[in-house]
Amino acid sequence: MAKIDEKDILKRIQDPKSKRKAFEEIVNAYSRQLYWKIHYMVQNHDDTDDVLQNTLVKAWRGLDNFKGDSALFTWLYRIAYNESITFLKQRKQMMSIDDEDFVEQANFVADEYFDSDETQEMLMQAVSTLPPKQRQVFCMKYFEDRKYEEISELVGTSVGALKASYHIAVEKITFFIKSKE
Amino acid sequence: MSTKNNRIFDPQGGKYPFRVNDEYFDNLAARVMDRIDEIDKEPVEKEEKSELKSNVFDINKNRHRNLWISSISIAASLVLIATLALKFIPTHAPAENEQTEMVAAQTAKENMDYNEDLMTYTMADNMDIYYYLLSEDFEQ
């Protein structure tokens, strides 16, 4: 990830002449992280691409309102999280719960970006059964090995609640895999 | 615990089993900026739409106003009719009828008293009356 000087970026955002260039730097710096955070939620490339682009467009529109009260990535993450939730709600409305389960599982098999074995596929199927926020927490802890404090700052939930959420997620995944064995 | 479960509880965590081409991120900023440019062009169309929308709103507003005027006119007419009706239709008619009935009843009672007094004075009984009614004098 390319590091950027947030103070410098904030100054350049305020200036209409340098705003566009500054935003391109933001996109280059944070788009990878955002992509995977969104992917944890929606779990396929095409939907992630849609949600990520919507996130960045909304960020551009709201850029003037960003005063630097939080870290820039935290601000972008919150937009991405809300966009992902909106997307998941729309997808849920379009199909019944049974259909959704089928599509989620079928996506892993058909997804050309899925690069793993049968065990990992089962793990991802188990992860897909978790509620969106719990899925985020589990993925950030398990796949990124982030500290609870970092996750807490990002998602705005207490460390204790995150620990409990991760513990419950692991139990659910274990139960899912045992039931499939 | 099975091998699958051991992988899940691996303290080192796991590798996220999806990948994406680096080219995707190389082009992302350009694609997003293109999309933003397209969106920035839209306000002109949106303004036209909003103008059209405001006209539609005006029409709806006029319809709404006309409906209110009609409703108020009808309500005022009903109040006027009710007022006139209360003013010109005699509300004491039932009392007059009662009075007429009382007068008629009193007159009938007086007539009966008069007949009884007359019969007492002439000392005529019912039989005399029958004969009188059947007699030729009455028929003539």
Side-chain angles (χ1 to χ4, degrees):
Chain A
M1 181 184 80
K3 283 194 174 181
I4 55 171
D5 184 349
E6 289 202 7
K7 284 183 181 176
D8 176 55
I9 285 280
L10 270 175
K11 276 184 188 175
R12 289 162 61 200
I13 282 170
Q14 306 302 324
D15 183 359
K17 289 178 185 173
S18 56
K19 184 180 175 183
R20 191 184 173 94
K21 183 69 181 165
F23 186 70
E24 281 183 24
E25 283 178 34
I26 291 170
V27 173
N28 287 328
Y30 294 125
S31 57
R32 282 174 192 270
Q33 278 197 75
L34 286 173
Y35 176 91
W36 291 115
K37 297 287 178 292
I38 295 166
H39 199 286
Y40 295 154
M41 305 272 274
V42 303
Q43 296 190 313
N44 73 69
H45 172 75
D46 291 340
D47 294 339
T48 304
D49 181 40
D50 283 345
V51 175
L52 178 58
Q53 287 198 37
N54 290 341
T55 299
L56 294 171
V57 168
K58 283 205 172 169
W60 169 260
R61 284 178 174 170
L63 213 52
D64 295 335
N65 299 324
F66 179 69
K67 304 296 178 197
D69 297 331
S70 62
L72 190 54
F73 182 71
T74 304
W75 180 68
L76 289 168
Y77 171 79
R78 298 273 164 86
I79 299 172
Y81 180 81
N82 290 333
E83 280 297 304
S84 303
I85 293 292
T86 305
F87 172 82
L88 289 172
K89 279 180 184 171
Q90 286 170 351
R91 189 163 73 180
K92 197 172 183 179
Q93 281 172 358
M94 288 172 70
M95 57 187 77
S96 68
I97 294 167
D98 291 338
D99 288 341
E100 187 179 16
D101 287 341
F102 172 75
V103 172
E104 294 263 13
Q105 291 184 14
N107 274 345
F108 300 129
V109 178
D111 194 342
E112 60 177 308
Y113 297 92
F114 185 73
D115 181 27
S116 198
D117 55 19
E118 192 185 323
T119 311
Q120 282 289 79
E121 189 188 337
M122 189 178 283
L123 172 63
M124 289 314 298
Q125 284 177 2
V127 169
S128 72
T129 63
L130 300 174
K133 193 166 184 177
Q134 199 171 42
R135 203 184 299 174
Q136 272 280 332
V137 173
F138 177 82
C139 289
M140 279 195 266
K141 187 67 192 161
Y142 184 74
F143 294 118
E144 296 182 14
D145 198 23
R146 278 182 179 254
K147 290 178 181 173
Y148 283 115
E149 286 76 12
E150 289 176 4
I151 302 172
S152 170
E153 194 182 331
L154 206 56
V155 301
T157 307
S158 69
V159 170
L162 290 176
K163 283 181 180 174
S165 179
Y166 183 74
H167 178 71
I168 292 166
V170 169
E171 281 191 344
K172 282 182 184 173
I173 290 167
T174 308
F175 178 78
F176 180 90
I177 290 172
K178 276 185 179 173
S179 69
K180 295 283 179 182
E181 280 180 342
Chain B
M1 196 177 281
S2 71
T3 312
K4 287 170 186 174
N5 283 343
N6 282 337
R7 280 196 68 175
I8 286 177
F9 292 110
D10 183 352
Q12 299 302 316
K15 183 185 166 227
Y16 193 59
F18 291 88
R19 59 180 169 74
V20 64
N21 297 331
D22 284 341
E23 291 163 10
Y24 169 78
F25 294 106
D26 294 341
N27 300 326
L28 184 64
R31 278 187 285 130
V32 171
M33 296 319 293
D34 286 347
R35 195 169 157 188
I36 287 167
D37 289 340
E38 283 175 20
I39 291 168
D40 285 345
K41 286 176 190 170
E42 280 177 13
V44 179
E45 290 172 16
K46 275 186 181 173
E47 275 174 18
E48 285 170 6
K49 278 182 187 174
S50 66
E51 197 176 318
L52 183 68
K53 205 173 179 180
S54 69
N55 287 337
V56 172
F57 179 71
D58 286 345
I59 291 166
N60 286 337
K61 201 176 167 184
N62 286 338
R63 279 183 188 162
H64 199 66
R65 192 181 58 194
N66 290 341
L67 189 69
W68 268 107
I69 290 170
S70 306
S71 304
I72 290 167
S73 304
I74 291 167
S77 305
L78 288 173
V79 169
L80 187 66
I81 290 166
T83 309
L84 291 173
L86 286 172
K87 195 172 182 182
F88 291 108
I89 294 173
T91 53
H92 49 279
E96 240 179 32
N97 287 340
E98 280 174 15
Q99 201 174 357
T100 311
E101 280 172 11
M102 281 175 68
V103 169
Q106 198 173 351
T107 309
K109 192 172 178 286
E110 281 174 1
N111 286 341
M112 281 178 70
D113 289 346
Y114 174 76
N115 287 338
E116 277 182 12
D117 287 346
L118 185 65
M119 285 170 70
T120 306
Y121 180 73
T122 57
M123 291 192 303
D125 58 9
N126 288 340
M127 290 301 289
D128 293 331
I129 294 169
Y130 294 146
Y131 283 128
Y132 174 72
L133 292 173
L134 292 171
S135 67
E136 291 176 357
D137 293 341
F138 182 76
E139 285 178 353
Q140 287 174 358

